[in-house]
């Protein structure tokens, strides 16, 4: 997976916007004005921060070395996922979907 594929996938979801509230190095995707995906643009390998159910977040971290507690995020609710080929693309997109679903269901 590359950044273009990830971006295209995310932007097709309802009510998603993208922006750079933290500077040029991180693209932030929001649903209904709330962050659900952050993608740093200054890393060698593609990676992203995604919101996750706390229990599922722990399971993923235990199962995959490429899933780590969310960098600069609430580590209970966010994971950083390094796209290194360990996790298949469809599974990566499921993590994006989970984050989108968790955030889009929250009240504004």
């Amino acid at each position: 997976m590359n950044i273009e594929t990830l971006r295209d996938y995310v932007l097709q979801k309802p009510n998603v916007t993208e922006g750079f509230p933290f500077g040029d190095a991180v693209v932030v995707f929001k649903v209904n004005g709330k962050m659900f995906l952050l993608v740093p643009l200054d890393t060698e390998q593609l990676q992203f921060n995604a919101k996750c159910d706390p229990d599922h977040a722990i399971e993923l971290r235990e199962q995959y070395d490429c899933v780590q507690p969310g960098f600069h995020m609430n580590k209970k609710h966010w994971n950083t996922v390094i796209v290194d080929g360990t996790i298949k693309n469809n599974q990566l997109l499921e993590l994006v979907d989970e984050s989108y679903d968790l955030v889009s269901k929250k009240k504004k």
Side-chain angles (χ1 to χ4, degrees):
M1 177 176 299
N2 60 40
I3 183 71
E4 292 85 11
T5 303
L6 179 61
R7 181 178 180 268
D8 290 346
Y9 182 78
V10 171
L11 288 176
Q12 57 84 28
K13 293 184 166 299
N15 303 315
V16 169
T17 59
E18 73 176 322
F20 293 85
F22 305 118
D24 295 347
V26 179
V27 61
V28 175
F29 296 95
K30 296 181 179 182
V31 58
N32 300 325
K34 299 204 177 282
M35 294 188 302
F36 74 96
L37 193 72
L38 294 88
V39 184
L41 302 175
D42 59 355
T43 58
E44 285 188 33
Q45 283 185 300
L46 175 63
Q47 60 182 303
F48 58 84
N49 285 5
K51 194 157 192 179
C52 194
D53 171 80
D55 292 331
H56 190 217
I58 292 169
E59 289 174 22
L60 290 167
R61 293 174 200 163
E62 290 173 352
Q63 187 173 4
Y64 300 105
D65 288 337
C66 65
V67 179
Q68 303 167 358
F71 184 67
H72 286 306
M73 306 298 284
N74 180 326
K75 292 169 184 8
K76 179 178 180 182
H77 296 280
W78 289 82
N79 279 336
T80 296
V81 180
I82 301 166
V83 181
D84 64 0
T86 304
I87 300 176
K88 295 178 183 177
N89 285 352
N90 64 323
Q91 292 172 297
L92 293 170
L93 296 178
E94 287 173 6
L95 297 176
V96 171
D97 292 342
E98 179 180 357
S99 183
Y100 175 86
D101 291 343
L102 284 169
V103 175
S104 66
K105 290 176 184 174
K106 289 195 172 236
K107 294 181 181 178
K108 292 181 186 179

